[in-house]
């Protein structure tokens, strides 16, 4: 009864392994096959969700009892111009496929996530950010044009001039308006396969954010790691990594450093131990005391070198930290993990982040990993950006702590919103409808659902995330 030969429900999981759905998982290879799925969903009274690299932590690419459209087979580079740095590709192209295609010609993706396995369709749908958001903005700022296949059967070519409203809404619109089938994106020129990195220790959260604020104007990338378990005089300690593109002529081995082999992450530890197995011993440390030990060791290791030491590192080595240990998320089994990411204006960020970290410690659920970045506002409809900072906090999920953890995140929501903060749907699993309504306000949500009524009048496109956050709008507008 379904296209592409699929007749059974499959278990689909969010990347954090703490959310899942039973869905009809379909893998189209063309625009025509996506249209077939739309028609099949309509005939069977089902909804459709899009899935790219499957790297959203929560339920953004899940669709309980509906269709999940896995676009990973639509992964062709359609055109590449090494003179202009403009690439056209299908939505299932991952950042890995992209950078390997362009880096030998001296280009690099302008905005990337902490893993190379996200798809460009997902990057646009969630409008991802990187360690250079303060300078380059989100992913969508570098998209020149896209083709959007809507459930209404239209294949629309959209750019900032032809339809600025749809352009800024489909990008950031978390898959609610149509399927990206082609994206035209501007890449960034680089003159070396390396970046110059400087690492230095910081004390309290306020000190770290102050350094991020002061140094961002002269950096190409900047990111901070925060020890969220340490207390007392060590509370909020961390390490900042700042990086710069190498100027033309600085790298004597430019051609060699731009080869794909020079960017590949090592597969073995010490050249012997397969890194794909490292998660097994690491799982012994994924508890409060083990992570406290790891965090202390990470911080203390910075004393082995002078504070502020500089070194060269490959682009892939600097950016894709989440890929250094394959399958590291398995250390969080069986319950998985969630990531709570709060974006807060710069005036309130230090106080808010200190309160979040301190609250998690007091409740006995400290974050095992904290990462902070500098951000700037953007023009996209469902934006998560602020003129300020983000703090991403990883929490293990267990059968014992799940209710208390969600309750703590709900408490965090109020703190963040009261400070004028925002949230990011690619990471979220705990936001409630009332928070989403306050977050975006009537004007933005009315615009999104007006466009949805135009391009998806039957509301075929839905996800677990959309139904969790906007249940009344999906029901009343569809009715």
């Amino acid at each position: 009864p379904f296209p592409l030969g699929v007749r059974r429900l499959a278990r689909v999981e969010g990347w954090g392994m703490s959310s899942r759905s039973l869905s009809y998982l379909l893998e189209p290879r063309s625009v025509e096959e996506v249209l077939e799925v739309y028609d099949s969903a309509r005939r069977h009274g089902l909804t459709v969700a899009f899935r790219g690299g499957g790297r959203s932590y929560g339920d953004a690419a899940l669709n309980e009892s509906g269709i999940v459209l896995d676009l990973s087979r639509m992964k062709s580079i359609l055109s590449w111009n090494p003179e202009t740095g403009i690439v056209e590709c299908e939505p299932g192209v991952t950042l890995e496929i992209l950078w390997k295609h362009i880096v030998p010609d001296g280009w690099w993706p302008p905005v990337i996530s902490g893993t190379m396995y996200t798809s460009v369709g997902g990057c646009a749908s969630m409008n991802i950010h990187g360690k250079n958001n303060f300078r380059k903005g989100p992913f969508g700022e570098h998209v020149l044009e896209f083709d959007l296949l809507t459930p209404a059967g239209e294949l629309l070519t959209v750019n900032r001039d032809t339809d600025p409203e749809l352009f800024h809404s489909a990008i950031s619109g978390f898959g609610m308006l149509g399927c990206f089938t082609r994206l035209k994106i501007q890449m960034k020129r680089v003159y070396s396969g390396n970046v110059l990195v400087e690492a230095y220790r910081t004390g309290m959260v306020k000190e770290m954010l102050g350094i991020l604020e002061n140094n961002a104007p002269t950096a190409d990338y900047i990111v901070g790691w925060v020890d969220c378990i340490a207390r007392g005089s060590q509370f909020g300690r961390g390490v900042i990594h700042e990086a710069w593109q190498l100027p033309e002529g600085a790298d004597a081995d430019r051609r060699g450093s731009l080869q794909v082999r020079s960017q590949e992450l090592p597969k073995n530890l010490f050249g012997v131990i397969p890194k794909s197995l490292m998660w097994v011993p690491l799982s012994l440390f994924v508890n409060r005391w083990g992570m406290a030990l790891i965090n202390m060791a990470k911080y203390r290791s910075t004393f082995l070198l002078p504070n502020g030491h500089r070194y060269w590192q490959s682009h892939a080595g600097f950016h894709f930290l989440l890929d250094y240990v394959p399958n590291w998320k398995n250390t969080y089994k069986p319950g998985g993990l969630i990531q709570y990411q709060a974006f807060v204006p710069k005036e309130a960020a230090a106080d808010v982040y200190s309160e979040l970290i301190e609250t998690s410690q007091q409740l006995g659920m400290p974050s095992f990993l904290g990462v902070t970045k500098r951000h700037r506002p953007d023009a996209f409809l469902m934006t998560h950006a602020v003129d300020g900072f983000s703090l991403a906090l990883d929490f293990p999920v267990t059968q014992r702590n799940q209710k208390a953890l969600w309750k703590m995140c709900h408490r965090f929501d109020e703190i963040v919103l009261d400070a004028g903060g925002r949230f990011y749907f690619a990471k979220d699993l705990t936001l409630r409808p009332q928070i989403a309504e306050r977050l975006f306000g009537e004007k933005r949500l009315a615009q999104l659902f007006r466009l949805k009524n135009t391009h998806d009048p039957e509301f075929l496109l839905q996800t677990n995330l959309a139904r969790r956050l906007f249940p009344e709008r999906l029901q009343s507008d569809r009715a």
Side-chain angles (χ1 to χ4, degrees):
F2 294 99
L4 315 182
V6 175
R7 298 171 182 270
R8 64 181 179 82
L9 288 168
R11 174 177 166 172
V12 184
E13 197 170 61
W15 190 83
M17 305 180 299
S18 55
S19 56
R20 55 195 58 85
S21 68
L22 283 175
S23 308
Y24 294 99
L25 187 64
L26 309 182
E27 299 177 311
R29 296 174 182 267
S30 66
V31 170
E32 291 74 22
E33 289 188 349
V34 175
L35 277 172
E36 284 184 44
V37 173
Y38 285 164
D39 291 339
S40 181
R42 192 174 288 112
R43 290 195 307 272
H44 292 87
L46 298 174
T47 57
V48 178
F50 303 119
R51 185 178 179 90
R55 294 283 155 160
S56 290
Y57 279 68
D59 54 1
L62 303 183
N63 188 17
E64 182 64 39
S65 300
I67 294 172
V68 170
L69 204 55
D70 184 339
L71 300 171
S72 59
R73 294 195 179 190
M74 296 176 67
K75 57 180 181 180
S76 296
I77 301 286
L78 302 173
S79 70
W80 164 239
N81 188 328
E83 299 300 319
T84 63
I86 294 175
V87 67
E88 295 184 62
C89 56
E90 290 184 311
V93 168
T94 62
L95 293 178
E96 179 189 28
I97 294 172
L98 183 58
W99 74 254
K100 286 184 175 180
H101 194 87
I102 67 175
V103 75
D105 293 319
W107 298 87
W108 188 257
V111 174
I112 50 182
S113 53
T115 171
M116 68 179 80
Y117 303 117
T118 50
S119 68
V120 295
C123 289
S125 181
M126 292 300 178
N127 205 17
I128 69 161
H129 57 271
K131 300 178 181 70
N132 60 347
N133 184 268
F134 59 92
R135 182 174 294 279
K136 293 293 185 179
F139 186 86
E141 289 196 12
H142 307 276
V143 175
L144 305 177
E145 182 178 272
F146 58 77
D147 289 343
L148 188 74
L149 184 63
T150 72
E154 305 168 295
L155 183 60
L156 304 174
T157 298
V158 183
N159 59 48
R160 290 174 176 82
D161 298 322
T162 60
D163 194 336
E165 182 182 51
L166 184 57
F167 182 89
H168 289 93
S169 301
I171 295 176
S172 80
F174 56 101
M176 289 295 99
L177 301 179
C179 177
F180 294 114
T181 60
R182 177 187 65 94
L183 296 106
K184 184 178 182 181
I185 314 166
Q186 177 66 61
M187 299 293 103
K188 180 178 66 174
R189 170 68 78 181
V190 293
Y191 298 101
S192 169
N194 297 304
V195 291
L196 174 64
V197 183
E198 181 175 349
Y200 40 90
R201 299 179 297 277
T202 67
M204 304 288 281
V205 172
K206 185 174 183 179
E207 179 187 347
M208 174 176 285
L209 298 188
I211 294 173
L212 292 177
E213 175 72 14
N214 293 333
N215 291 17
T218 60
D220 288 312
Y221 306 97
I222 194 165
V223 62
W225 164 79
V226 184
D227 183 348
C228 297
I229 299 179
R231 295 172 176 262
S233 62
Q234 302 298 310
F235 177 85
R237 65 186 178 183
V239 179
I240 287 177
H241 288 88
E242 189 173 350
W244 300 265
Q245 301 288 154
L246 295 179
E248 189 172 7
D251 187 352
D253 187 27
R254 175 182 182 274
R255 185 179 297 274
S257 69
L258 288 170
Q259 296 302 307
V260 170
R261 65 177 179 273
S262 299
Q263 299 293 321
E264 294 277 17
L265 301 181
K267 299 186 183 303
N268 297 313
L269 184 66
F270 307 123
V272 178
I273 305 172
K275 290 173 69 176
S276 59
L277 300 177
M278 282 181 59
W279 71 269
V280 178
L282 280 176
S283 63
L284 300 175
F285 292 88
V286 179
N287 54 68
R288 194 187 315 174
W289 309 115
M291 292 306 300
L293 182 64
I294 288 177
N295 284 357
M296 181 180 68
K298 179 179 175 67
Y299 184 76
R300 293 293 180 188
S301 68
T302 64
F303 288 88
L304 299 176
L305 294 168
N307 206 26
H309 70 283
R310 293 186 171 192
Y311 55 95
W312 283 14
Q313 189 174 16
S314 70
H315 289 280
F318 177 76
H319 288 290
F320 301 129
L321 295 178
L322 293 178
D323 300 330
Y324 265 90
V325 179
N327 303 317
W328 66 266
K329 68 174 185 176
N330 289 342
T331 62
Y332 284 87
K333 284 185 174 181
L337 75 153
I338 63 170
Q339 186 175 103
Y340 186 94
Q341 189 167 23
F343 296 74
V344 178
K346 58 186 179 183
E347 296 80 8
D351 290 338
V352 168
Y353 294 155
S354 296
E355 185 174 0
L356 298 187
I357 295 170
E358 186 174 8
T359 298
S360 69
Q361 291 180 351
Q362 291 173 347
L363 294 175
M365 294 180 287
S367 169
F368 287 177
L369 175 67
V371 176
T372 185
K373 304 185 188 82
R374 179 69 170 96
H375 294 268
R376 75 178 192 194
D378 60 62
F380 294 92
L381 181 66
M382 305 301 286
T383 183
H384 52 273
V386 296
D387 181 10
F389 304 90
S390 69
L391 177 65
L393 302 170
D394 285 5
F395 296 101
V397 180
T398 66
Q399 189 173 17
R400 184 176 180 181
N401 81 348
Q402 197 268 344
K403 284 187 178 180
L405 180 59
W406 260 244
K407 185 177 180 181
M408 182 178 74
C409 290
H410 296 164
R411 181 172 169 180
F412 286 178
D413 296 342
E414 301 292 342
I415 297 169
V416 172
L417 274 185
D418 287 347
R422 308 187 75 82
F423 305 99
Y424 181 38
F425 288 167
K427 304 289 182 68
D428 173 59
L429 188 59
T430 63
L431 286 179
R432 297 156 293 165
Q434 60 268 36
I435 298 297
E437 293 284 337
R438 283 176 56 192
L439 174 62
F440 291 106
E442 179 59 31
K443 184 177 179 181
R444 285 180 187 265
L445 293 177
Q447 179 177 332
L448 175 69
F449 283 92
R450 173 174 53 78
L451 288 169
K452 189 166 182 65
N453 272 306
T454 298
H455 300 291
D456 181 19
E458 298 168 284
F459 279 29
L460 287 184
L461 302 182
Q462 295 192 28
T463 61
N464 284 12
L465 179 142
R467 287 190 291 269
R468 171 167 57 87
L469 296 183
F470 307 110
E472 293 185 3
R473 290 181 184 270
L474 286 171
Q475 293 170 7
S476 62
D477 286 12
R478 193 177 191 184

